[in-house]
PDB file of all heavy atoms in Angstrom:
ATOM      1  N   PHE A   1      14.135   9.055   2.751  1.00  0.00           N
ATOM      2  CA  PHE A   1      14.019   7.599   2.722  1.00  0.00           C
ATOM      3  C   PHE A   1      15.071   6.927   3.616  1.00  0.00           C
ATOM      4  O   PHE A   1      16.055   7.547   4.015  1.00  0.00           O
ATOM      5  CB  PHE A   1      14.133   7.134   1.268  1.00  0.00           C
ATOM      6  CG  PHE A   1      13.080   7.748   0.390  1.00  0.00           C
ATOM      7  CD1 PHE A   1      13.400   8.779  -0.505  1.00  0.00           C
ATOM      8  CD2 PHE A   1      11.765   7.354   0.481  1.00  0.00           C
ATOM      9  CE1 PHE A   1      12.426   9.373  -1.277  1.00  0.00           C
ATOM     10  CE2 PHE A   1      10.767   7.935  -0.299  1.00  0.00           C
ATOM     11  CZ  PHE A   1      11.099   8.944  -1.172  1.00  0.00           C
ATOM     12  N   GLN A   2      14.823   5.657   3.900  1.00  0.00           N
ATOM     13  CA  GLN A   2      15.634   4.907   4.856  1.00  0.00           C
ATOM     14  C   GLN A   2      16.931   4.390   4.226  1.00  0.00           C
ATOM     15  O   GLN A   2      17.156   4.527   3.027  1.00  0.00           O
ATOM     16  CB  GLN A   2      14.803   3.755   5.417  1.00  0.00           C
ATOM     17  CG  GLN A   2      13.539   4.191   6.129  1.00  0.00           C
ATOM     18  CD  GLN A   2      13.815   5.139   7.284  1.00  0.00           C
ATOM     19  OE1 GLN A   2      14.567   4.822   8.216  1.00  0.00           O
ATOM     20  NE2 GLN A   2      13.216   6.331   7.242  1.00  0.00           N
ATOM     21  N   THR A   3      17.762   3.794   5.054  1.00  0.00           N
ATOM     22  CA  THR A   3      19.070   3.302   4.581  1.00  0.00           C
ATOM     23  C   THR A   3      18.948   1.959   3.867  1.00  0.00           C
ATOM     24  O   THR A   3      19.935   1.477   3.287  1.00  0.00           O
ATOM     25  CB  THR A   3      20.045   3.154   5.747  1.00  0.00           C
ATOM     26  OG1 THR A   3      19.477   2.262   6.732  1.00  0.00           O
ATOM     27  CG2 THR A   3      20.321   4.511   6.384  1.00  0.00           C
ATOM     28  N   GLU A   4      17.762   1.354   3.899  1.00  0.00           N
ATOM     29  CA  GLU A   4      17.525   0.075   3.228  1.00  0.00           C
ATOM     30  C   GLU A   4      16.222   0.165   2.454  1.00  0.00           C
ATOM     31  O   GLU A   4      15.284   0.815   2.892  1.00  0.00           O
ATOM     32  CB  GLU A   4      17.451  -1.074   4.244  1.00  0.00           C
ATOM     33  CG  GLU A   4      17.276  -2.449   3.641  1.00  0.00           C
ATOM     34  CD  GLU A   4      17.194  -3.542   4.685  1.00  0.00           C
ATOM     35  OE1 GLU A   4      16.242  -3.509   5.514  1.00  0.00           O
ATOM     36  OE2 GLU A   4      18.059  -4.419   4.690  1.00  0.00           O
ATOM     37  N   VAL A   5      16.199  -0.483   1.294  1.00  0.00           N
ATOM     38  CA  VAL A   5      14.978  -0.522   0.464  1.00  0.00           C
ATOM     39  C   VAL A   5      14.516  -1.983   0.356  1.00  0.00           C
ATOM     40  O   VAL A   5      15.342  -2.886   0.156  1.00  0.00           O
ATOM     41  CB  VAL A   5      15.217   0.062  -0.933  1.00  0.00           C
ATOM     42  CG1 VAL A   5      13.943  -0.023  -1.775  1.00  0.00           C
ATOM     43  CG2 VAL A   5      15.664   1.517  -0.838  1.00  0.00           C
ATOM     44  N   LEU A   6      13.220  -2.181   0.495  1.00  0.00           N
ATOM     45  CA  LEU A   6      12.610  -3.506   0.465  1.00  0.00           C
ATOM     46  C   LEU A   6      11.663  -3.622  -0.725  1.00  0.00           C
ATOM     47  O   LEU A   6      10.932  -2.670  -1.031  1.00  0.00           O
ATOM     48  CB  LEU A   6      11.823  -3.744   1.754  1.00  0.00           C
ATOM     49  CG  LEU A   6      10.797  -4.895   1.749  1.00  0.00           C
ATOM     50  CD1 LEU A   6      11.492  -6.229   1.965  1.00  0.00           C
ATOM     51  CD2 LEU A   6       9.741  -4.679   2.791  1.00  0.00           C
ATOM     52  N   ALA A   7      11.685  -4.790  -1.369  1.00  0.00           N
ATOM     53  CA  ALA A   7      10.686  -5.122  -2.358  1.00  0.00           C
ATOM     54  C   ALA A   7      10.126  -6.499  -2.018  1.00  0.00           C
ATOM     55  O   ALA A   7      10.886  -7.451  -1.823  1.00  0.00           O
ATOM     56  CB  ALA A   7      11.302  -5.154  -3.760  1.00  0.00           C
ATOM     57  N   GLU A   8       8.806  -6.584  -1.919  1.00  0.00           N
ATOM     58  CA  GLU A   8       8.150  -7.859  -1.630  1.00  0.00           C
ATOM     59  C   GLU A   8       7.573  -8.406  -2.924  1.00  0.00           C
ATOM     60  O   GLU A   8       6.773  -7.746  -3.587  1.00  0.00           O
ATOM     61  CB  GLU A   8       7.035  -7.654  -0.600  1.00  0.00           C
ATOM     62  CG  GLU A   8       6.288  -8.923  -0.261  1.00  0.00           C
ATOM     63  CD  GLU A   8       5.139  -8.682   0.694  1.00  0.00           C
ATOM     64  OE1 GLU A   8       5.263  -7.807   1.577  1.00  0.00           O
ATOM     65  OE2 GLU A   8       4.091  -9.366   0.544  1.00  0.00           O
ATOM     66  N   LEU A   9       7.969  -9.632  -3.275  1.00  0.00           N
ATOM     67  CA  LEU A   9       7.540 -10.221  -4.520  1.00  0.00           C
ATOM     68  C   LEU A   9       6.418 -11.231  -4.294  1.00  0.00           C
ATOM     69  O   LEU A   9       6.353 -11.895  -3.257  1.00  0.00           O
ATOM     70  CB  LEU A   9       8.699 -10.916  -5.226  1.00  0.00           C
ATOM     71  CG  LEU A   9       9.877 -10.023  -5.582  1.00  0.00           C
ATOM     72  CD1 LEU A   9      10.867 -10.774  -6.459  1.00  0.00           C
ATOM     73  CD2 LEU A   9       9.436  -8.750  -6.271  1.00  0.00           C
ATOM     74  N   LEU A  10       5.540 -11.328  -5.281  1.00  0.00           N
ATOM     75  CA  LEU A  10       4.426 -12.264  -5.189  1.00  0.00           C
ATOM     76  C   LEU A  10       4.945 -13.704  -5.335  1.00  0.00           C
ATOM     77  O   LEU A  10       5.761 -13.983  -6.201  1.00  0.00           O
ATOM     78  CB  LEU A  10       3.386 -11.971  -6.260  1.00  0.00           C
ATOM     79  CG  LEU A  10       2.524 -10.733  -6.054  1.00  0.00           C
ATOM     80  CD1 LEU A  10       1.657 -10.490  -7.285  1.00  0.00           C
ATOM     81  CD2 LEU A  10       1.648 -10.859  -4.813  1.00  0.00           C
ATOM     82  N   PRO A  11       4.420 -14.626  -4.516  1.00  0.00           N
ATOM     83  CA  PRO A  11       4.785 -16.028  -4.654  1.00  0.00           C
ATOM     84  C   PRO A  11       3.870 -16.714  -5.681  1.00  0.00           C
ATOM     85  O   PRO A  11       2.956 -16.082  -6.228  1.00  0.00           O
ATOM     86  CB  PRO A  11       4.490 -16.573  -3.250  1.00  0.00           C
ATOM     87  CG  PRO A  11       3.267 -15.783  -2.847  1.00  0.00           C
ATOM     88  CD  PRO A  11       3.460 -14.397  -3.421  1.00  0.00           C
ATOM     89  N   PRO A  12       4.075 -17.975  -5.932  1.00  0.00           N
ATOM     90  CA  PRO A  12       3.120 -18.705  -6.770  1.00  0.00           C
ATOM     91  C   PRO A  12       1.767 -18.777  -6.079  1.00  0.00           C
ATOM     92  O   PRO A  12       1.678 -19.159  -4.906  1.00  0.00           O
ATOM     93  CB  PRO A  12       3.751 -20.117  -6.886  1.00  0.00           C
ATOM     94  CG  PRO A  12       5.194 -19.932  -6.554  1.00  0.00           C
ATOM     95  CD  PRO A  12       5.251 -18.812  -5.560  1.00  0.00           C
ATOM     96  N   LEU A  13       0.729 -18.386  -6.773  1.00  0.00           N
ATOM     97  CA  LEU A  13      -0.653 -18.464  -6.278  1.00  0.00           C
ATOM     98  C   LEU A  13      -1.460 -19.305  -7.256  1.00  0.00           C
ATOM     99  O   LEU A  13      -1.112 -19.422  -8.426  1.00  0.00           O
ATOM    100  CB  LEU A  13      -1.277 -17.075  -6.145  1.00  0.00           C
ATOM    101  CG  LEU A  13      -0.601 -16.091  -5.185  1.00  0.00           C
ATOM    102  CD1 LEU A  13      -1.245 -14.706  -5.336  1.00  0.00           C
ATOM    103  CD2 LEU A  13      -0.715 -16.573  -3.738  1.00  0.00           C
ATOM    104  N   GLU A  14      -2.554 -19.865  -6.768  1.00  0.00           N
ATOM    105  CA  GLU A  14      -3.437 -20.616  -7.659  1.00  0.00           C
ATOM    106  C   GLU A  14      -4.182 -19.642  -8.578  1.00  0.00           C
ATOM    107  O   GLU A  14      -4.224 -18.423  -8.312  1.00  0.00           O
ATOM    108  CB  GLU A  14      -4.419 -21.437  -6.847  1.00  0.00           C
ATOM    109  CG  GLU A  14      -3.761 -22.570  -6.074  1.00  0.00           C
ATOM    110  CD  GLU A  14      -2.994 -23.525  -6.982  1.00  0.00           C
ATOM    111  OE1 GLU A  14      -3.580 -24.089  -7.905  1.00  0.00           O
ATOM    112  OE2 GLU A  14      -1.758 -23.676  -6.741  1.00  0.00           O
ATOM    113  N   ALA A  15      -4.766 -20.168  -9.643  1.00  0.00           N
ATOM    114  CA  ALA A  15      -5.464 -19.307 -10.613  1.00  0.00           C
ATOM    115  C   ALA A  15      -6.580 -18.491  -9.981  1.00  0.00           C
ATOM    116  O   ALA A  15      -6.874 -17.371 -10.405  1.00  0.00           O
ATOM    117  CB  ALA A  15      -6.028 -20.171 -11.737  1.00  0.00           C
ATOM    118  N   ASP A  16      -7.187 -19.014  -8.921  1.00  0.00           N
ATOM    119  CA  ASP A  16      -8.275 -18.294  -8.245  1.00  0.00           C
ATOM    120  C   ASP A  16      -7.757 -17.391  -7.122  1.00  0.00           C
ATOM    121  O   ASP A  16      -8.544 -16.818  -6.347  1.00  0.00           O
ATOM    122  CB  ASP A  16      -9.316 -19.274  -7.693  1.00  0.00           C
ATOM    123  CG  ASP A  16      -8.726 -20.198  -6.636  1.00  0.00           C
ATOM    124  OD1 ASP A  16      -7.522 -20.125  -6.359  1.00  0.00           O
ATOM    125  OD2 ASP A  16      -9.505 -21.001  -6.076  1.00  0.00           O
ATOM    126  N   GLY A  17      -6.431 -17.257  -7.012  1.00  0.00           N
ATOM    127  CA  GLY A  17      -5.835 -16.401  -5.999  1.00  0.00           C
ATOM    128  C   GLY A  17      -5.555 -17.084  -4.660  1.00  0.00           C
ATOM    129  O   GLY A  17      -5.083 -16.445  -3.723  1.00  0.00           O
ATOM    130  N   THR A  18      -5.803 -18.384  -4.587  1.00  0.00           N
ATOM    131  CA  THR A  18      -5.564 -19.113  -3.333  1.00  0.00           C
ATOM    132  C   THR A  18      -4.083 -19.132  -2.971  1.00  0.00           C
ATOM    133  O   THR A  18      -3.228 -19.371  -3.829  1.00  0.00           O
ATOM    134  CB  THR A  18      -6.077 -20.567  -3.453  1.00  0.00           C
ATOM    135  OG1 THR A  18      -7.479 -20.556  -3.624  1.00  0.00           O
ATOM    136  CG2 THR A  18      -5.741 -21.369  -2.193  1.00  0.00           C
ATOM    137  N   SER A  19      -3.782 -18.860  -1.697  1.00  0.00           N
ATOM    138  CA  SER A  19      -2.420 -18.985  -1.171  1.00  0.00           C
ATOM    139  C   SER A  19      -2.355 -20.247  -0.320  1.00  0.00           C
ATOM    140  O   SER A  19      -3.054 -20.356   0.685  1.00  0.00           O
ATOM    141  CB  SER A  19      -2.056 -17.758  -0.329  1.00  0.00           C
ATOM    142  OG  SER A  19      -0.938 -18.038   0.497  1.00  0.00           O
ATOM    143  N   HIS A  20      -1.497 -21.180  -0.701  1.00  0.00           N
ATOM    144  CA  HIS A  20      -1.397 -22.419   0.046  1.00  0.00           C
ATOM    145  C   HIS A  20      -0.814 -22.189   1.446  1.00  0.00           C
ATOM    146  O   HIS A  20      -1.216 -22.870   2.403  1.00  0.00           O
ATOM    147  CB  HIS A  20      -0.529 -23.427  -0.714  1.00  0.00           C
ATOM    148  CG  HIS A  20      -1.223 -24.013  -1.903  1.00  0.00           C
ATOM    149  ND1 HIS A  20      -2.349 -24.810  -1.807  1.00  0.00           N
ATOM    150  CD2 HIS A  20      -0.965 -23.893  -3.233  1.00  0.00           C
ATOM    151  CE1 HIS A  20      -2.733 -25.177  -3.016  1.00  0.00           C
ATOM    152  NE2 HIS A  20      -1.923 -24.621  -3.900  1.00  0.00           N
ATOM    153  N   LEU A  21       0.087 -21.233   1.593  1.00  0.00           N
ATOM    154  CA  LEU A  21       0.621 -20.963   2.929  1.00  0.00           C
ATOM    155  C   LEU A  21      -0.451 -20.392   3.832  1.00  0.00           C
ATOM    156  O   LEU A  21      -0.546 -20.747   5.002  1.00  0.00           O
ATOM    157  CB  LEU A  21       1.824 -19.997   2.843  1.00  0.00           C
ATOM    158  CG  LEU A  21       2.488 -19.748   4.203  1.00  0.00           C
ATOM    159  CD1 LEU A  21       3.131 -21.013   4.740  1.00  0.00           C
ATOM    160  CD2 LEU A  21       3.521 -18.636   4.119  1.00  0.00           C
ATOM    161  N   TRP A  22      -1.295 -19.495   3.284  1.00  0.00           N
ATOM    162  CA  TRP A  22      -2.367 -18.943   4.107  1.00  0.00           C
ATOM    163  C   TRP A  22      -3.329 -20.037   4.554  1.00  0.00           C
ATOM    164  O   TRP A  22      -3.743 -20.076   5.720  1.00  0.00           O
ATOM    165  CB  TRP A  22      -3.121 -17.866   3.338  1.00  0.00           C
ATOM    166  CG  TRP A  22      -4.275 -17.326   4.152  1.00  0.00           C
ATOM    167  CD1 TRP A  22      -5.605 -17.631   4.022  1.00  0.00           C
ATOM    168  CD2 TRP A  22      -4.193 -16.406   5.232  1.00  0.00           C
ATOM    169  NE1 TRP A  22      -6.347 -16.982   4.968  1.00  0.00           N
ATOM    170  CE2 TRP A  22      -5.496 -16.214   5.732  1.00  0.00           C
ATOM    171  CE3 TRP A  22      -3.141 -15.741   5.852  1.00  0.00           C
ATOM    172  CZ2 TRP A  22      -5.796 -15.375   6.814  1.00  0.00           C
ATOM    173  CZ3 TRP A  22      -3.422 -14.906   6.927  1.00  0.00           C
ATOM    174  CH2 TRP A  22      -4.726 -14.737   7.401  1.00  0.00           C
ATOM    175  N   GLU A  23      -3.684 -20.925   3.651  1.00  0.00           N
ATOM    176  CA  GLU A  23      -4.628 -21.975   4.006  1.00  0.00           C
ATOM    177  C   GLU A  23      -4.070 -22.922   5.057  1.00  0.00           C
ATOM    178  O   GLU A  23      -4.791 -23.417   5.916  1.00  0.00           O
ATOM    179  CB  GLU A  23      -5.021 -22.777   2.747  1.00  0.00           C
ATOM    180  CG  GLU A  23      -5.782 -21.968   1.712  1.00  0.00           C
ATOM    181  CD  GLU A  23      -7.038 -21.335   2.249  1.00  0.00           C
ATOM    182  OE1 GLU A  23      -7.777 -22.018   3.006  1.00  0.00           O
ATOM    183  OE2 GLU A  23      -7.302 -20.152   1.938  1.00  0.00           O
ATOM    184  N   ALA A  24      -2.744 -23.148   4.998  1.00  0.00           N
ATOM    185  CA  ALA A  24      -2.114 -24.062   5.946  1.00  0.00           C
ATOM    186  C   ALA A  24      -1.746 -23.415   7.270  1.00  0.00           C
ATOM    187  O   ALA A  24      -1.634 -24.094   8.298  1.00  0.00           O
ATOM    188  CB  ALA A  24      -0.851 -24.669   5.316  1.00  0.00           C
ATOM    189  N   LEU A  25      -1.576 -22.078   7.254  1.00  0.00           N
ATOM    190  CA  LEU A  25      -1.073 -21.408   8.471  1.00  0.00           C
ATOM    191  C   LEU A  25      -1.979 -20.251   8.901  1.00  0.00           C
ATOM    192  O   LEU A  25      -2.630 -20.324   9.941  1.00  0.00           O
ATOM    193  CB  LEU A  25       0.355 -20.900   8.222  1.00  0.00           C
ATOM    194  CG  LEU A  25       1.048 -20.166   9.388  1.00  0.00           C
ATOM    195  CD1 LEU A  25       1.147 -21.073  10.596  1.00  0.00           C
ATOM    196  CD2 LEU A  25       2.423 -19.678   8.946  1.00  0.00           C
ATOM    197  N   GLY A  26      -2.024 -19.215   8.102  1.00  0.00           N
ATOM    198  CA  GLY A  26      -2.735 -17.999   8.514  1.00  0.00           C
ATOM    199  C   GLY A  26      -4.191 -18.217   8.875  1.00  0.00           C
ATOM    200  O   GLY A  26      -4.688 -17.695   9.887  1.00  0.00           O
ATOM    201  N   ARG A  27      -4.897 -18.978   8.054  1.00  0.00           N
ATOM    202  CA  ARG A  27      -6.338 -19.176   8.294  1.00  0.00           C
ATOM    203  C   ARG A  27      -6.598 -19.895   9.629  1.00  0.00           C
ATOM    204  O   ARG A  27      -7.667 -19.713  10.246  1.00  0.00           O
ATOM    205  CB  ARG A  27      -6.958 -19.960   7.146  1.00  0.00           C
ATOM    206  CG  ARG A  27      -8.474 -20.016   7.219  1.00  0.00           C
ATOM    207  CD  ARG A  27      -9.019 -20.907   6.141  1.00  0.00           C
ATOM    208  NE  ARG A  27      -9.086 -20.260   4.842  1.00  0.00           N
ATOM    209  CZ  ARG A  27     -10.117 -19.484   4.446  1.00  0.00           C
ATOM    210  NH1 ARG A  27     -11.115 -19.235   5.274  1.00  0.00           N
ATOM    211  NH2 ARG A  27     -10.096 -18.963   3.242  1.00  0.00           N
ATOM    212  N   ARG A  28      -5.643 -20.676  10.092  1.00  0.00           N
ATOM    213  CA  ARG A  28      -5.820 -21.417  11.345  1.00  0.00           C
ATOM    214  C   ARG A  28      -5.752 -20.509  12.569  1.00  0.00           C
ATOM    215  O   ARG A  28      -6.164 -20.889  13.673  1.00  0.00           O
ATOM    216  CB  ARG A  28      -4.764 -22.522  11.468  1.00  0.00           C
ATOM    217  CG  ARG A  28      -4.880 -23.574  10.353  1.00  0.00           C
ATOM    218  CD  ARG A  28      -3.752 -24.573  10.415  1.00  0.00           C
ATOM    219  NE  ARG A  28      -3.824 -25.508   9.297  1.00  0.00           N
ATOM    220  CZ  ARG A  28      -4.461 -26.676   9.337  1.00  0.00           C
ATOM    221  NH1 ARG A  28      -5.091 -27.034  10.460  1.00  0.00           N
ATOM    222  NH2 ARG A  28      -4.494 -27.478   8.294  1.00  0.00           N
ATOM    223  N   PHE A  29      -5.199 -19.304  12.386  1.00  0.00           N
ATOM    224  CA  PHE A  29      -5.077 -18.365  13.511  1.00  0.00           C
ATOM    225  C   PHE A  29      -5.919 -17.116  13.308  1.00  0.00           C
ATOM    226  O   PHE A  29      -5.992 -16.268  14.206  1.00  0.00           O
ATOM    227  CB  PHE A  29      -3.604 -17.973  13.692  1.00  0.00           C
ATOM    228  CG  PHE A  29      -2.739 -19.125  14.077  1.00  0.00           C
ATOM    229  CD1 PHE A  29      -2.061 -19.853  13.127  1.00  0.00           C
ATOM    230  CD2 PHE A  29      -2.612 -19.490  15.421  1.00  0.00           C
ATOM    231  CE1 PHE A  29      -1.252 -20.923  13.479  1.00  0.00           C
ATOM    232  CE2 PHE A  29      -1.806 -20.569  15.776  1.00  0.00           C
ATOM    233  CZ  PHE A  29      -1.131 -21.289  14.813  1.00  0.00           C
ATOM    234  N   CYS A  30      -6.519 -16.987  12.127  1.00  0.00           N
ATOM    235  CA  CYS A  30      -7.278 -15.782  11.791  1.00  0.00           C
ATOM    236  C   CYS A  30      -8.438 -16.189  10.915  1.00  0.00           C
ATOM    237  O   CYS A  30      -8.227 -16.686   9.811  1.00  0.00           O
ATOM    238  CB  CYS A  30      -6.360 -14.785  11.078  1.00  0.00           C
ATOM    239  SG  CYS A  30      -7.190 -13.356  10.434  1.00  0.00           S
ATOM    240  N   ASN A  31      -9.625 -16.005  11.358  1.00  0.00           N
ATOM    241  CA  ASN A  31     -10.811 -16.495  10.644  1.00  0.00           C
ATOM    242  C   ASN A  31     -11.214 -15.548   9.516  1.00  0.00           C
ATOM    243  O   ASN A  31     -12.286 -14.969   9.498  1.00  0.00           O
ATOM    244  CB  ASN A  31     -11.969 -16.663  11.615  1.00  0.00           C
ATOM    245  CG  ASN A  31     -13.135 -17.410  10.996  1.00  0.00           C
ATOM    246  OD1 ASN A  31     -12.949 -18.194  10.064  1.00  0.00           O
ATOM    247  ND2 ASN A  31     -14.331 -17.160  11.502  1.00  0.00           N
ATOM    248  N   LEU A  32     -10.267 -15.401   8.559  1.00  0.00           N
ATOM    249  CA  LEU A  32     -10.498 -14.551   7.395  1.00  0.00           C
ATOM    250  C   LEU A  32      -9.979 -15.277   6.164  1.00  0.00           C
ATOM    251  O   LEU A  32      -9.066 -16.106   6.259  1.00  0.00           O
ATOM    252  CB  LEU A  32      -9.763 -13.213   7.532  1.00  0.00           C
ATOM    253  CG  LEU A  32     -10.251 -12.212   8.574  1.00  0.00           C
ATOM    254  CD1 LEU A  32      -9.238 -11.083   8.707  1.00  0.00           C
ATOM    255  CD2 LEU A  32     -11.622 -11.653   8.192  1.00  0.00           C
ATOM    256  N   SER A  33     -10.530 -14.954   5.004  1.00  0.00           N
ATOM    257  CA  SER A  33      -9.967 -15.461   3.757  1.00  0.00           C
ATOM    258  C   SER A  33      -8.633 -14.732   3.484  1.00  0.00           C
ATOM    259  O   SER A  33      -8.364 -13.664   4.060  1.00  0.00           O
ATOM    260  CB  SER A  33     -10.927 -15.213   2.602  1.00  0.00           C
ATOM    261  OG  SER A  33     -11.020 -13.811   2.324  1.00  0.00           O
ATOM    262  N   TYR A  34      -7.853 -15.308   2.599  1.00  0.00           N
ATOM    263  CA  TYR A  34      -6.575 -14.668   2.247  1.00  0.00           C
ATOM    264  C   TYR A  34      -6.807 -13.265   1.683  1.00  0.00           C
ATOM    265  O   TYR A  34      -6.125 -12.314   2.083  1.00  0.00           O
ATOM    266  CB  TYR A  34      -5.854 -15.552   1.216  1.00  0.00           C
ATOM    267  CG  TYR A  34      -4.663 -14.888   0.570  1.00  0.00           C
ATOM    268  CD1 TYR A  34      -3.529 -14.556   1.304  1.00  0.00           C
ATOM    269  CD2 TYR A  34      -4.664 -14.594  -0.796  1.00  0.00           C
ATOM    270  CE1 TYR A  34      -2.437 -13.948   0.711  1.00  0.00           C
ATOM    271  CE2 TYR A  34      -3.561 -14.009  -1.402  1.00  0.00           C
ATOM    272  CZ  TYR A  34      -2.453 -13.683  -0.646  1.00  0.00           C
ATOM    273  OH  TYR A  34      -1.370 -13.088  -1.238  1.00  0.00           O
ATOM    274  N   ALA A  35      -7.774 -13.127   0.789  1.00  0.00           N
ATOM    275  CA  ALA A  35      -8.049 -11.817   0.172  1.00  0.00           C
ATOM    276  C   ALA A  35      -8.490 -10.820   1.224  1.00  0.00           C
ATOM    277  O   ALA A  35      -8.049  -9.663   1.216  1.00  0.00           O
ATOM    278  CB  ALA A  35      -9.112 -11.963  -0.916  1.00  0.00           C
ATOM    279  N   ALA A  36      -9.362 -11.225   2.125  1.00  0.00           N
ATOM    280  CA  ALA A  36      -9.870 -10.315   3.157  1.00  0.00           C
ATOM    281  C   ALA A  36      -8.749  -9.900   4.121  1.00  0.00           C
ATOM    282  O   ALA A  36      -8.640  -8.743   4.509  1.00  0.00           O
ATOM    283  CB  ALA A  36     -11.026 -10.942   3.924  1.00  0.00           C
ATOM    284  N   ALA A  37      -7.913 -10.868   4.513  1.00  0.00           N
ATOM    285  CA  ALA A  37      -6.818 -10.572   5.427  1.00  0.00           C
ATOM    286  C   ALA A  37      -5.797  -9.651   4.785  1.00  0.00           C
ATOM    287  O   ALA A  37      -5.266  -8.729   5.421  1.00  0.00           O
ATOM    288  CB  ALA A  37      -6.159 -11.872   5.893  1.00  0.00           C
TER     289      ALA A  37
END
């Protein structure tokens, strides 16, 4: 294993799984839903 360990935590999501950051940013550059991406 490496000299550093990373843990990625889930942010607040809507009840249906919607990510507000994805809708405002990612979807504008990638024509996919958050779940699909």
Side-chain angles (χ1 to χ4, degrees):
F1 302 105
Q2 301 302 304
T3 57
E4 183 180 62
V5 179
L6 163 81
E8 179 184 324
L9 301 189
L10 287 173
L13 299 172
E14 293 302 303
D16 62 357
T18 296
S19 162
H20 287 294
L21 184 65
W22 177 259
E23 296 303 318
L25 180 60
R27 188 185 281 276
R28 297 174 184 268
F29 296 94
C30 173
N31 191 26
L32 291 169
S33 69
Y34 169 65

